[in-house]
Amino acid sequence: MNVPLALLVLGATGGRGPRGDRRIDWAAQAAACGACAAAGAWFAAVDLKRG
């Protein structure tokens, strides 16, 4: 549900930030998403190891 909604919002805003004068920093967004995914995978692996 979150991914289609996020794509809809990005399409509606034209990829502009909240102020409208700056573009979205896609590299920073990808790095933040990667860090969250890595942290989630790490915690899932630790939880699975505990049993």
Side-chain angles (χ1 to χ4, degrees):
M1 180 67 190
N2 290 338
V3 173
L5 185 60
L7 292 176
L8 179 69
V9 170
L10 283 175
T13 61
R16 298 249 178 225
R19 296 188 186 127
D21 58 342
R22 295 187 300 178
R23 302 287 294 167
I24 292 175
D25 186 0
W26 292 106
Q29 293 296 316
C33 288
C36 288
W42 174 263
F43 287 116
V46 168
D47 190 46
L48 285 174
K49 187 176 179 182
R50 288 184 191 170

